[in-house]
Structure formats: structure tokens, C-alpha cells
Amino acid sequence: GSFIIVSILFIFLGYAVNELPLENALSLIIVEAFFYIIPGIATALLINVGEKNSLSFFAICLFCGYILNIVIYFIVQGLRIKEYILPVYVLVTICSLIIIYCKRRIIYSLCTEIVDYNICIVFFIGVLTVSFVCYCCNNLIPNGSVEANTYYNDNLYWIGNTIELEMNFPPVDFRVCTREFHYHYFSNIQLAVIGLLSRVPAIEIGFVYSWVQIDLMLVLGTYCFLNKILKKWYLVLTGMFILLFTAGFENDVIIGVVQYLYYARFGYDVAFAFSLFCMYLMYIQLSKKFDIKIFLLTLLAFICLLGSKSATGAIVLCGMGMICLYWLFIERDLKKSFGYGIW
């Protein structure tokens, strides 16, 4: 509950600072609650990876909701029924509420150590504050000058992708003679869905509100991965600080990790969160027999990772390859090694 309250407070902070219509902020909150979080909870309950930690379970809900929105978008656009997207989501939400009611005992069995909860809420507020200052209050418009290759100037390009995905599918690159658009635009699909449902302008969603949702996925995705492999709260605390606020050796790059996380997101923040979620699912699969539900969720999460930022997916693919080799040569588990390895 505290994470939702903090998210709403920062949404209203963005609304107040930018002096935007109040109804847009309220509409976005309603869409996020009923058409993102509730379907995500129902999907996580259906898959049920066996997670008993409430924070990690909530992280799974967020990622499942994100994946489900992308799947629904492709179905709606593929069937050419975009004008009926709101009734489709209403039906999905009703079915989700029924599922949540039927499987409510799983939710009642969840628990979290108070130390872990405090760590996550502090990091969430910290990351939101950084994003608010560096991104929401620093949304510079590209000026077409010699500085056009700096990270600031990616922002409107990214917003343009969202506008195109709201209007057309397959998307067309309106900047280059209406050429068909092949790019990492999965982060824009989520914003396009929110825009189609809430009727809030894409530029307003992208600059003022989108970072709140992604920061929650970043923090909880980082926590659930580190908590699964490190266990101790002080190690999780250290790992979260390293992953969320530091970078490696970047003297030879123009645009670094921190800039892509907090200044010009352009899908990297989504890919970073999904990369941690994918490795979290792979770690769960390490200690279990081949589970088709975990396999399908990992597959869909990896597709979202590649669709958001393919370079990040290439790095995660190497990690997955090493795990598959471990399954093949150490555990001699052909089903897991070839099942995950082939796709």
C-alpha cells in the first residue's frame, strides 16, 4: 500500500509542477490501477511461481501487468479493433477481479521482513526523487543544434514513437519518408496503451508521469533479484545502491548508464528492470524441475526485454547461456537446458 501511496503523491507532484489538468492525472491513476496493477496481480496468481515474499510477489505482479498490456495491444491492433480497447480492458479487469477473489488465499500467505520493506520504500522514494529532478524537471526540448546527439535529445524521439503506436500498427517511421518502423519500441507500447485508455496526451504521459511506474519496477525488480541470491538484508541494501545509483568504467562512452536510467530513458530503464526480472526467474528455475509456467513467463519477459532495448538483452542472453550450459553439463537436465537454450 505504501508504494501505491508514494506513487500517487509523485504523480500529483508532477501534475502540480507542470500545471497540467487535474483530470488527466486522475484518469492516469485510474487506468494504472484497474488496467495495469489488477490484471498483473491476477496473472501472477495464475502463474504462481511459489514466491512467499510479498515485495517480490508485488514485483512479479508489476512485470506481469506490463507484459499483459503488450500482449493485449498486439491482439487488439492485430484484430483491428483499437476503437474497442476500453471494453476489452474492462472485460480483462472483471475477469482479473474474479481470479483474485478465487485465489485470495495465496495473497494472505505472503509476508515480508520489516527491514526489507523499509529498504525498498526508502530506495523507491530516493529513485523517484532523482527521476523527478533529472527527468521530469529537466525535460529539455531537442534544439537541432550540434548538441543533437546528447541524451537530452532522445526524449522527444521517444515520445514520437509513442504517438505513432497510438495511431498506427505496424508503426511507421514518420521521420524518414513513412518507412516501416523496426526499433526497440516496447516501452512505448505501454505508454500508448495508457494514452489510448486515459486520453492523456503522449508527451504529458512520457515527460510527467511515465517514470513513476518504471521506477517502481526498477526498485522492486532489483530487490526481488538480489533478495533471491543474496538473502542478507545488508547485502541486498549494498547491491541495490550499486545497481541503481552507480555505473562501471564509462570514460569512453558518450552516454552512460546513469543518464539512460534517469535523464533520457528511451526504453533502457524498462530493459534494465526486465533484465533483473529475467535473471530472477532463471534463478527460481535453477532450484526446480522444468516448469512450463515459469518458462513461458521468462520467455515473455525476455521478449519484452529485447523489445525495450536489444543491447541489454544481448548481455542477459549470455547469462542465460551460461545457466543452460550448467543445466546441460552439470545437472544433465536436457529439458531445461534445451528448453531454455533453443528459444
Side-chain angles (χ1 to χ4, degrees):
S2 299
F3 291 95
I4 302 300
I5 293 172
V6 171
S7 298
I8 292 174
L9 288 176
F10 271 88
I11 286 174
F12 279 117
L13 183 61
Y15 140 78
V17 168
N18 289 275
E19 299 180 350
L20 297 169
L22 177 60
E23 58 269 22
N24 286 0
L26 294 175
S27 176
L28 183 131
I29 291 171
I30 292 170
V31 166
E32 292 274 15
F34 286 94
F35 303 143
Y36 167 58
I37 294 178
I38 289 177
I41 294 173
T43 306
L45 289 172
L46 283 175
I47 296 172
N48 190 17
V49 301
E51 182 60 68
K52 299 299 183 183
N53 183 302
S54 60
L55 287 174
S56 296
F57 178 78
F58 187 42
I60 296 171
C61 296
L62 296 175
F63 285 100
C64 285
Y66 201 99
I67 293 169
L68 188 62
N69 275 350
I70 292 176
V71 171
I72 292 174
Y73 175 85
F74 280 124
I75 293 173
V76 168
Q77 291 284 31
L79 296 175
R80 297 290 188 266
I81 55 172
K82 184 179 72 172
E83 61 272 19
Y84 301 111
I85 190 171
L86 182 57
V88 169
Y89 266 93
V90 170
L91 179 61
V92 169
T93 301
I94 292 172
C95 294
S96 299
L97 289 171
I98 295 172
I99 293 170
I100 292 170
Y101 178 78
C102 294
K103 294 184 174 290
R104 62 191 183 279
R105 290 184 179 179
I106 297 176
I107 298 177
Y108 296 153
S109 66
L110 300 171
C111 62
T112 297
E113 294 290 337
I114 189 66
V115 174
D116 290 7
Y117 188 87
N118 290 336
I119 288 173
C120 285
I121 199 69
V122 168
F123 267 97
F124 184 44
I125 293 173
V127 169
L128 282 176
T129 302
V130 172
S131 296
F132 175 72
V133 173
C134 296
Y135 183 73
C136 185
C137 297
N138 194 31
N139 49 4
L140 304 181
I141 304 300
N143 54 27
S145 68
V146 293
E147 298 179 352
N149 197 34
T150 62
Y151 51 81
Y152 296 110
N153 294 282
D154 276 343
N155 287 332
L156 275 204
Y157 191 95
W158 183 63
I159 301 299
N161 297 346
T162 301
I163 295 171
E164 177 60 29
L165 285 162
E166 286 187 24
M167 297 172 59
N168 301 299
F169 190 84
V172 173
D173 190 351
F174 56 88
R175 310 170 191 88
V176 189
C177 301
T178 64
R179 183 180 62 188
E180 190 172 340
F181 193 54
H182 298 286
Y183 205 60
H184 38 247
Y185 54 70
F186 273 38
S187 63
N188 300 109
I189 291 179
Q190 175 75 4
L191 305 188
V193 168
I194 294 173
L196 289 169
L197 292 170
S198 67
R199 305 300 180 184
V200 178
I203 193 166
E204 189 173 321
I205 296 173
F207 279 134
V208 183
Y209 302 122
S210 65
W211 47 276
V212 177
Q213 178 196 67
I214 303 304
D215 283 353
L216 184 56
M217 292 174 62
L218 269 174
V219 171
L220 291 184
T222 304
Y223 166 79
C224 74
F225 171 66
L226 293 176
N227 184 62
K228 183 62 68 175
I229 64 173
L230 298 178
K231 311 295 184 184
K232 303 292 186 180
W233 69 266
Y234 53 88
L235 295 177
V236 174
L237 173 66
T238 305
M240 290 183 70
F241 180 80
I242 292 171
L243 287 176
L244 294 172
F245 294 114
T246 67
F249 181 76
E250 294 189 329
N251 289 342
D252 296 326
V253 297
I254 298 174
I255 303 174
V257 172
V258 173
Q259 283 86 352
Y260 265 136
L261 274 180
Y262 300 118
Y263 284 87
R265 295 166 174 258
F266 211 78
Y268 178 82
D269 50 350
V270 178
F272 189 80
F274 267 102
S275 65
L276 295 170
F277 183 59
C278 284
M279 298 311 296
Y280 162 77
L281 293 173
M282 292 292 286
Y283 192 84
I284 290 178
Q285 187 66 91
L286 274 171
S287 59
K288 294 185 176 185
K289 293 183 178 180
F290 181 83
D291 188 320
I292 186 62
K293 293 184 294 184
I294 297 177
F295 171 77
L296 290 175
L297 181 57
T298 309
L299 175 60
L300 290 172
F302 188 68
I303 290 172
C304 289
L305 164 60
L306 287 176
S308 300
K309 206 73 172 180
S310 56
T312 311
I315 297 172
V316 174
L317 187 63
C318 294
M320 289 182 167
M322 295 178 67
I323 294 174
C324 289
L325 291 174
Y326 170 81
W327 282 331
L328 179 62
F329 293 110
I330 306 300
E331 291 191 353
R332 301 188 183 279
D333 189 328
L334 297 180
K335 185 178 288 188
K336 286 199 292 189
S337 59
F338 284 101
Y340 282 86
I342 290 175
W343 67 256

